[in-house]
Each structure stands twice: as structure tokens, then as C-alpha cells.
Amino acid sequence: MTELKDLEITYDKPNWCPGCGNFGLWGALKNAIIELNLNPWEVVLVSGIGCSSKMPYWIKTYGFSSLHGRPTPVAEGIKLANNSLAVIVIAGDGDQYGEGLSHLIHAARRNIDITVIVHNNQIYGLTTGQYSPTTDLNEKNKTSPTSITEIPLNPLFVTLSAGATFVARGFAGDIKHQAELIKEGIKHKGFSVIDAMQPCVTFNHKNTFPWFRERIYKLEEEKHDFNDKSKAITRIEEWPLTKVIKEGEKERIPTGIFYKKEEPAFEEGFPQIDKISLDKQPITDISIDSILEKLM
Ligand code: SF4
Ligand code: MG
């Protein structure tokens, strides 16, 4: 039985700013691992670069800090090498929806069995507050002092269109709900993406905890049918907004599972790893001499 103490490191503590949304998502991830009764050695966290990408340092599972925008292909490689692991990507919006967007699209269309959790604070936090692909339209910040005119990326629309078989959104202010989504994502056999809204209390003074609480609702409370792709698209398109709304109007932000479908996972198409994972296969009787000879 996995307990909290099994996942806690003793030599260091997260250095996120006090009040940062990453703390809630950290708690939710640990709760999900515990509630699924996964042993620390059965989980690997893969990150890129950003505030949230420090996560592998602060949960005692296996961890891999990769390059900016590259955690998803690294996670895919890990899954193919050892498909018995629960492979989880922790990335930020700049990291995964900016630099790493093409990797996200291709992982989604492959339906490889990994879970991508994007800590979406709608800003580049680690580099002190530049606007990101998901910053709200018309928002002002240090790299857009007169306001942003670019329509924000809708990451869930993009991943669903690419073929993702599990698409969800959570919120750092609702740890229990976020943990449930992570559990469902890990259990899902295939590619899962969770857009996790994560207030950055230091550099994003618009999308705060109270701001989200006034707008968020849960799809399950409105009896959303996550088997229906067209209904999923309708809900996904509710937010982020693609036009500026009138003063006093409030958008609604759906959270929960938008879409879920059972399809064969990418790795199931490889007979080489069908019965026994690659890391457990003997290598003593493998010779590459004949290949080398052809090259000489
Ligand atoms: Fe969190 Fe923002 Fe501070 Fe980064 S800069 S730790 S995202 S509050
Ligand atoms: Mg960010």
C-alpha cells in the first residue's frame, strides 16, 4: 500500500512562490499515485523547462528533466522501452503548447499510452512573465504592454483534432477533482492530456484563484456525454475565448473529462514488446555484426 511518506523527499522542498498553483497540482498528483496504489518505482515523471517542470525533483518516483518543449518525445521513448511504467509528462503551457506543440500533436495521433499534464498558467512564469500561447486575448503584460491581439491557442481542440482519446481540464484550486482526472488519465489505455489551470500569483494578475472560481463549472454536473465527440468540441470551444467580451460579461470555463474513447494504444502494434517489455528482454544473443559489415 503506497503512502504519502513513500513519495516525499526529505532533503529539499519546492521553491515555488508562496501561493503558486503548482502546490495544488503537486498534491493532486501525489494523491492520484497513492489512490491508484502505484509504487514509486512504477511511475516516471518527465518534464521540460519551467516552474512546473521542477516536479520530478519533489516527488520520489523515477524522474527525467528533459529539454525545453521536449518532455513528450522523451516520455514516448521511455514508454516503448518499458511499457509497464506509468509515464507522466509534467509541462507548462509555454513548454508544451509553444515549443513542444508539434510533439503533443504527434503523440496524440499515435495514441501512445502516456499522460500529459500541462500546468497552464497562461504565461511564461520562470522567465518572469512573457505572454504564452494561452494568454487571454487583450491581456496586457510585460511583452504586450498595449494588449495581446493574437487569439489564444485552444490546446484541447488541437489535441482532440489530432486524435487524442482522452481530453480533460482541471484546476489547481480543486485538488480532489484534479486528482480524479489524473487517475482517469493514467488508467486510460492510450494518450491522455489534462489541461490543468494553474494560477501564477507572481506574474499573472488576471487569471487568479478567485477569477477561476467565479467561472469554472464541472462537466459531470451538467451530464456531459464524453463519448460524443461533437458535444466535446462544443464544450471545448466555450473557453478560451476568441473574441473580447463586453465589460461585466463572464465566460464559463468547463472542467472535467470532455472526451474519452477506447482505441488500440500505439505500443500494442509492436509484436516485439507485446509479451515482454523491451527492458526485460535478454541482449546477450543479439549481434549487430552483419549490419556493421554492410556499412564497412
Ligand atoms: Fe508559480 Fe508563477 Fe512563481 Fe512560477 S513564477 S513559481 S508559476 S507563482
Ligand atoms: Mg506557463
Side-chain angles (χ1 to χ4, degrees), residues 83-286:
N83 57 4
S84 62
L85 289 169
V87 182
I88 303 166
V89 170
I90 305 292
D93 48 311
D95 195 36
Q96 188 68 84
Y97 298 152
E99 286 83 349
L101 184 62
S102 64
H103 295 302
L104 188 71
I105 291 168
H106 295 297
R109 76 180 175 82
R110 283 183 194 120
N111 198 33
I112 188 161
D113 186 18
I114 63 171
T115 299
V116 178
I117 305 170
V118 185
H119 293 213
N120 184 356
N121 56 14
Q122 302 173 263
I123 205 157
Y124 282 86
L126 190 69
T127 49
T128 74
Q130 298 79 13
Y131 76 88
S132 84
T134 52
T135 304
D136 285 343
L137 187 63
N138 236 24
E139 184 59 4
K140 296 186 179 74
N141 62 31
K142 67 163 63 165
T143 45
S144 59
T146 56
S147 87
I148 292 170
T149 54
E150 292 167 55
I151 290 169
L153 181 84
N154 189 324
L156 298 184
F157 186 82
V158 171
T159 41
L160 184 68
S161 313
T165 53
F166 182 102
V167 175
R169 179 183 291 123
F171 171 46
D174 191 340
I175 296 172
K176 194 166 181 296
H177 190 236
Q178 173 69 17
E180 287 304 318
L181 296 176
I182 296 173
K183 280 160 58 182
E184 290 304 313
I186 293 173
K187 283 194 290 183
H188 177 69
K189 189 78 185 145
F191 181 80
S192 49
V193 61
I194 303 167
D195 185 42
M197 304 319 298
Q198 176 247 308
C200 168
V201 294
T202 304
F203 295 112
N204 185 340
H205 301 296
K206 179 192 173 190
N207 309 104
T208 61
F209 281 101
W211 185 91
F212 276 110
R213 285 205 172 94
E214 283 173 14
R215 291 163 174 81
I216 272 177
Y217 74 93
K218 291 194 177 96
L219 289 166
E220 51 270 36
E221 286 172 0
E222 301 205 354
K223 300 195 179 354
H224 169 66
D225 177 7
F226 56 60
N227 299 303
D228 187 324
K229 199 168 199 172
S230 61
K231 285 186 179 147
I233 290 170
T234 303
R235 296 285 185 168
I236 283 172
E237 284 185 329
E238 286 180 15
W239 194 78
L241 298 176
T242 53
K243 61 177 175 33
V244 180
I245 55 175
K246 290 188 202 125
E247 212 176 313
E249 275 183 356
K250 262 190 209 148
E251 60 267 65
R252 296 184 81 220
I253 303 178
T255 58
I257 301 171
F258 291 86
Y259 184 68
K260 187 173 159 183
K261 188 176 186 208
E262 300 301 322
E263 293 275 5
F266 180 63
E267 60 274 22
E268 289 173 43
F270 289 86
Q272 301 93 325
I273 56 173
D274 195 24
K275 299 207 167 37
I276 178 161
S277 83
L278 207 54
D279 66 303
K280 296 189 180 59
Q281 295 184 27
I283 55 170
T284 46
D285 58 349
I286 295 174

